[in-house]
Amino acid sequence: MRQSRLDRQLRIEGWNQQALENAKVGVVGDDDLLASLYIMSASALGINNVLVLSPTLNAILVETAKKLNPRFTLTHLEGFYTHPVIDELFKGCNLIVDLSHYGLANKLLLEKGYSENIPIIRGLCYEQNNEQGFKTFTYIRGREWQELEQIISPHNFPNGHFDDGVMDTIIAGIVLEETKNLLMDQDVSDDLTSYKRKKLKTSNGQPKILVVGSGALGIFVGLGLAYSQFRQITFMDPDVVEVTNLNRQVFFYDAVGESKAKTLSKKLNELFGTDSNAQVAYFDRNSDISSYDVVFDCVDNFETRIVLSEICKDHSKILLSGGTSADAGQVVIYNPMEKGVTPAELLGMYDIVEKRDPEIYQRERAACLYQPDPSVIMTNQIAAGFMVDAYRMLLDGQQPDNIFYDSNKNTRI
Amino acid sequence: MTDIEPKKTLEIDEAEKLLPLVLEVMPGHAAEGLIAIYEPGSYEGKTLRKLCDQTLNKKNLTIEEQLIAEDVARQLEGGKLLCRGQEIEGTALEFAVSEQTEAGEKYFYVPVRAIKPQEGGYRWLAP
């Protein structure tokens, strides 16, 4: 079971699952979603031992973490990191993830990282003047750089702070990527990764949203939409859940063999109060999108992406297209008001598909001469988060940029 | 630092039209790419795509440049050249931002990246 559950990431060259499973990871958090989202994703990735110091955790996400990974052990200490004496709690941790929003913890942890040579991975979201955004940085002794000034929260003591479930989802993904890299002795970014945009106005209204694809991207798009108070969502996917999906498709831990679209819709309605529904179907040229205001493309093949691009262009619908691999991802936006090119045109999908001879395809498929692409949770939650944020920006009258993420490069975004 | 910058509309005054153009073609998200410098008068009438082709076809590359060129070529197998996430249709000046060296010399800079789109799902093997 474990082997099957982790199959898609065990296929990655140089992957060291044991390093993840044997590690002990310390986390310092606040009373918000960020630490809980990190814990859930870490469990899905197969990190088995997490110690958290945080006043509260989100019960739904923690429960999901436990159900996803039978070996997962969470030690939760309720409180704040306000004195060096608390250091002892983190004895034996391979690294500490600092997701808190008070400067005292940030400084104490950097001091601990320096004096004990423990890596500290920092992630936070912030609101400043008319701006909202996030920053992440990996501190390793020797990196006493100016960037450190930017990752220390302005308030020394725990305080009310800006929190956003969508940005938290992205931060948790980037921070988990760094966690994985450190534990597997791979290169970590030495850049400050940051993202910012204008503050969003409050009301989103209730647009009708179609999410095509209910795999890892679709799940995190659904979660981001729920956190953004969108309710009217339709999930479309013809597939059923397989064991090998469970290293990244976090809400399917008890649904192997069942419809992905139906399970996702049910889970989000039960756990997050959405009013979503499911269509167990392929998206094709006959699919009717006339009643929707926006379409999220969360599929896993260029052929369907081309159809989505063309249908959305024909019907003048907003399209947010996401795509991921094990270490990279992109988000491309089609806004009919801008009269720009579609995702399929921008990314040259027609050329790619044209080079695929359909006859060879059929032969390969018949002879099973294909293999699943490796896949992990991080790139999916990062791309999905940016897709939802791009949509919120469009509704707010802002112009989101297309985003290209690459976990192998210093300049991640 | 990797901020997502808002789209900029370059306002070019008459004096700035005489600036050199620095074009950098990078593989994916690499920090460094192949750099070509075009003097005023040599780039204005050409499309950005044409300038990219010229840059990628440069001869007498150093070993480091050769490695970058190979990396760009790998990305372009099923990938495309994009500038700030957009197609590179139009002139270089439409994508340029004005920058200056530490010595205060101004120039136009255009970053172009070779991006391979991610698909997910299944990888088809050669027959």
Side-chain angles (χ1 to χ4, degrees), chain A residues 30-42:
Chain A
D30 280 324
D31 52 352
D32 57 20
L33 286 170
L34 182 50
S36 305
L37 281 162
Y38 174 83
I39 289 164
M40 179 179 72
S41 298

Side-chain angles (χ1 to χ4, degrees), chain A residues 144-253:
Chain A
E144 285 76 37
W145 301 340
Q146 269 195 324
E147 277 84 348
L148 295 182
E149 288 175 9
Q150 297 197 45
I151 58 162
I152 293 173
S153 299
H155 296 289
N156 261 330
F157 293 103
N159 205 321
H161 62 267
F162 166 70
D163 187 35
D164 177 69
V166 175
M167 284 200 194
D168 286 349
T169 303
I170 303 171
I171 300 167
I174 295 174
V175 168
L176 185 59
E177 185 81 53
E178 290 294 82
T179 306
K180 182 267 291 178
N181 288 338
L182 281 167
L183 294 176
M184 292 190 186
D185 211 14
Q186 295 171 343
D187 289 342
V188 290
S189 171
D190 58 13
D191 255 356
L192 177 78
T193 300
S194 64
Y195 169 82
K196 66 185 178 191
R197 53 153 170 74
K198 282 185 205 155
K199 185 177 171 179
L200 299 171
K201 293 175 210 88
T202 47
S203 177
N204 285 323
Q206 279 307 331
K208 290 191 76 176
I209 298 170
L210 175 63
V211 179
V212 184
S214 302
L217 258 185
I219 285 174
F220 281 106
V221 163
L223 186 62
L225 291 171
Y227 281 144
S228 307
Q229 313 307 321
F230 295 108
R231 293 282 171 267
Q232 297 183 50
I233 312 165
T234 298
F235 294 99
M236 181 187 276
D237 197 311
D239 293 336
V240 295
V241 179
E242 295 175 30
V243 179
T244 55
N245 300 145
L246 300 182
N247 72 325
R248 60 201 186 280
Q249 299 182 16
V250 288
F251 294 135
F252 295 163
Y253 48 82

Side-chain angles (χ1 to χ4, degrees), chain B residues 17-32:
Chain B
K17 282 183 180 170
L18 299 172
L19 295 179
L21 177 91
V22 177
L23 173 62
E24 184 168 20
V25 183
M26 292 164 277
H29 280 66
E32 290 179 1

Side-chain angles (χ1 to χ4, degrees), chain A residues 53 90 112 115 167 186 210 225 318 327 342 348 382 409:
Chain A
L53 176 61
F90 294 106
K112 184 177 173 64
S115 60
M167 284 200 194
Q186 295 171 343
L210 175 63
L225 291 171
I318 295 170
D327 51 16
T342 64
I382 292 165
K409 301 287 193 270

Side-chain angles (χ1 to χ4, degrees), chain A residues 192-196 300-302 305 324-325 328 330 341 345-348 352 356 361 364 369-374 401-402 404 406 409 411-413, chain B residues 1-7 27-31 71 75 78-80 82 84-87 113 115-127:
Chain A
L192 177 78
T193 300
S194 64
Y195 169 82
K196 66 185 178 191
D300 63 359
N301 64 86
F302 289 146
R305 286 185 202 286
T324 63
S325 67
Q330 79 267 338
V341 295
E345 290 164 338
L346 181 75
L347 298 173
I352 298 171
R356 294 173 173 171
Y361 251 30
E364 284 174 344
L369 283 173
Y370 65 93
Q371 67 182 34
D373 252 353
D401 285 319
N402 296 328
F404 298 87
D406 190 338
K409 301 287 193 270
T411 314
R412 298 293 171 85
I413 305 166
Chain B
M1 187 160 156
T2 56
D3 282 346
I4 304 298
E5 296 288 347
K7 290 190 179 76
H29 280 66
D71 210 357
Q75 288 286 327
K80 274 183 78 173
L82 301 176
R84 297 191 186 90
Q86 301 295 326
E87 289 209 281
R113 293 186 183 276
I115 298 278
K116 184 181 276 194
Q118 305 302 322
E119 183 170 23
Y122 289 83
R123 183 189 308 160
W124 300 89
L125 303 177

